[in-house]
Amino acid sequence: MGALSAIPYIGPAIDFATSRYGLPVVVAGGIVLAYEGVPIGPLRYIPYAGPALASLVDGRVDREYAAGQLAERLLWQEQQRKALAQLAAKAEMKQKEIDAAAQAYVDQQNTDAVRIADLERAIRDQKDEDLGPQDHDNTAGACKPRSGIPARLSIGIDAVGR
């Protein structure tokens, strides 16, 4: 003990720490230091050195706080993944509906094209029947008015949209 007492600042500190009042203060200070750690402030944000220093001087409270932050971050990321998966499923379902509607439209267009071709052929056949053999020498016969489109063809054309 004599060698430590020779150092001017350490000697009185050790004497106080081993005294009747100093021992409870040192024990309480040790407990607070273990739980709270050494406050290093903005030093913990220095790249590479800050996290290493923080792991040495952080107390139990800081470690539990960091563990809670990590748990919350992981929970939030999992919820984000689930939400993105739901959005992707909804988008895929809507895209399937759009594709089905587009296919139905194309099928209807193909069906309409066949119906239109049949109706146009029927109109040509009807016109050919209406024209028949003409007498080019008879001008009165050449000016004879043509008959209109039959009602069944007109209704068929209207159903197709032309």
Side-chain angles (χ1 to χ4, degrees):
M1 259 323 242
L4 292 176
S5 298
I7 300 174
Y9 295 109
I10 295 180
I14 291 178
D15 289 340
F16 176 74
T18 56
S19 71
R20 181 176 176 190
Y21 298 109
L23 186 61
V25 170
V26 170
V27 170
I31 291 171
V32 168
L33 187 64
Y35 274 95
E36 296 295 329
V38 176
I40 59 173
L43 293 178
R44 79 175 58 247
Y45 302 118
I46 297 174
Y48 303 111
L53 182 61
S55 69
L56 292 175
V57 297
D58 276 350
R60 181 173 182 212
V61 172
D62 291 329
R63 287 190 301 271
E64 290 297 321
Y65 182 78
Q69 277 184 328
L70 178 64
E72 286 294 319
R73 183 172 38 253
L74 292 175
L75 179 65
W76 181 81
Q77 288 173 348
E78 181 62 28
Q79 289 174 350
Q80 284 295 106
R81 277 193 288 275
K82 286 180 182 178
L84 288 174
Q86 286 177 350
L87 286 176
K90 284 181 184 178
E92 183 178 342
M93 185 176 59
K94 288 191 182 276
Q95 186 61 43
K96 286 181 182 180
E97 290 176 4
I98 290 170
D99 292 343
Q103 186 61 41
Y105 178 74
V106 168
D107 293 343
Q108 184 64 35
Q109 289 292 90
N110 292 339
T111 304
D112 288 348
V114 170
R115 289 176 55 195
I116 290 170
D118 289 342
L119 291 171
E120 287 175 348
R121 185 177 37 77
I123 290 171
R124 278 193 307 274
D125 293 345
Q126 183 68 33
K127 284 182 181 179
D128 290 344
E129 289 174 8
D130 288 346
L131 290 178
Q134 289 185 356
D135 185 9
H136 294 289
D137 294 336
N138 184 0
T139 57
C143 293
K144 181 172 130 185
R146 296 181 180 159
S147 64
I149 297 175
R152 64 181 174 83
L153 285 179
S154 177
I155 292 171
I157 291 173
D158 287 340
V160 173
R162 273 182 90 172

